[in-house]
Amino acid sequence: HSTLDRRQPRFEAAVAGDVDLGAAFTLRGDRVAGVARVDVSASGTPDAVSWHGGLELRDGTWVMRERGVAVTEVNTKLACAVGGCHVEQFSGRLNGGTLVIEGDLPIPGATATRGLHATLRDAGLELPKGVRHDLDADLDLIRGESTRLTGTVTVWPAAVSGSIAALATLVSPSQAGSGADERPDVVSAALSHVGVDVRIVSGDDLTFDSADLQVTASADLRLAGTLAGPRLRGQVATRDRGRIFLAGRNWDLEEGTLSLLEGQGGTDAR
């Protein structure tokens, strides 16, 4: 309701209820599910609004098929006020691994005292197709002049038994989906505003064991760009002697380094 007098009008408003996320959000190629309980109230004048409230989600799901990402079993509770939202609870599963998030989620136009910190353990990454690697990560989402994702991802790699082409897919994942539908969508637009500066380290050696490549290697990599267009940079170096089949001949590898550099089309491997 509102009260009108000679001074500025004042108002009070409240919204409470359940939101079916599957019905409220339709994202091309994605599946969203879960029910969110929203309870928000606001009061004040048009020039000075005071509000508070919260959101509680139980058993939420977001499956992004084209990106190979599945967030499931999400349970979260947010307490919100004018300056932002504090994460009182966030737990779930990301590609089979455990995900916990804590900190503050800023409201656009407001300044938050903290960012978000995410802890991920034992998540699965399939790259190339049919080969699952496990991931651990400690990441921070920081909002200043721009929003940035920083931190470290540790990869516990499985042996790659495909051909040399599998190596190209592994070191240049941002190119793997270049033939997919590239029409802009809401998710891609949002991800394009989040910068990335994440170090990638390997918990064990990278092992390639196929008919045309036998070698173990170590990696010192960094993910740059944005969440919508990540770019892999750094070096992959052989650790021991190996073997490669090229141009109809077998070659012994004594040492070698693969550098991932900025190229006109994305990542250049040299």
Side-chain angles (χ1 to χ4, degrees):
H1 71 271
S2 62
T3 303
L4 296 177
D5 57 23
R6 294 180 180 179
R7 297 169 296 180
Q8 272 197 318
R10 296 186 57 83
F11 70 90
E12 294 181 0
V15 176
D18 293 335
V19 178
D20 183 340
L21 299 183
F25 298 97
T26 303
L27 303 174
R28 186 181 69 250
D30 296 355
R31 181 172 70 87
V32 180
V35 176
R37 174 69 179 176
V38 180
D39 188 354
V40 178
S41 61
S43 62
T45 67
D47 295 332
V49 178
S50 175
W51 68 278
H52 66 277
L55 179 146
E56 188 170 353
L57 172 64
R58 292 293 178 226
D59 202 20
T61 296
W62 186 6
V63 178
M64 294 167 272
R65 295 182 179 87
E66 291 184 3
R67 295 175 175 84
V69 176
V71 183
T72 59
E73 301 178 27
V74 174
N75 296 298
T76 185
K77 187 174 183 180
L78 305 180
C80 300
V82 175
C85 292
H86 176 68
V87 180
E88 295 187 341
Q89 175 197 4
F90 188 109
S91 63
R93 305 192 71 83
L94 173 59
N95 286 11
T98 60
L99 174 64
V100 176
I101 297 177
E102 58 184 4
D104 294 330
L105 180 66
I107 300 295
T111 301
T113 57
R114 301 171 57 195
L116 290 176
H117 178 78
T119 302
L120 177 66
R121 296 292 182 266
D122 300 322
L125 171 67
E126 189 175 293
L127 188 71
K129 186 174 178 60
V131 180
R132 177 191 163 103
H133 312 277
D134 290 328
L135 304 180
D136 294 337
D138 290 279
L139 302 171
D140 292 289
L141 185 66
I142 303 170
R143 180 162 184 165
E145 294 182 359
S146 61
T147 303
R148 294 183 300 116
L149 182 69
T150 65
T152 301
V153 174
T154 302
V155 182
W156 302 91
V160 178
S161 57
S163 66
I164 293 178
L167 176 59
T169 302
L170 182 62
V171 301
S172 187
S174 61
Q175 316 295 50
S178 59
D181 184 359
E182 297 181 352
R183 292 175 298 173
D185 56 41
V186 173
V187 176
S188 295
L191 297 180
S192 67
H193 294 289
V194 181
V196 178
D197 183 14
V198 174
R199 187 185 178 203
I200 301 175
V201 298
S202 54
D204 293 319
D205 291 342
L206 302 169
T207 302
F208 297 89
D209 185 10
S210 67
D212 54 9
L213 180 65
Q214 293 93 46
V215 69
T216 60
S218 61
D220 183 9
L221 303 171
R222 186 167 293 276
L223 200 63
T226 69
L227 283 180
R231 303 190 302 272
L232 198 58
R233 302 290 179 263
Q235 288 187 332
V236 179
T238 59
R239 296 185 62 89
D240 301 306
R241 292 173 62 92
R243 186 181 66 83
I244 187 171
F245 181 78
L246 280 176
R249 295 182 58 185
N250 285 314
W251 303 81
D252 290 329
L253 294 175
E254 295 187 358
E255 63 179 46
T257 301
L258 179 67
S259 298
L260 308 177
L261 307 173
E262 184 78 31
Q264 292 184 348
T267 299
D268 279 352
R270 299 179 184 176

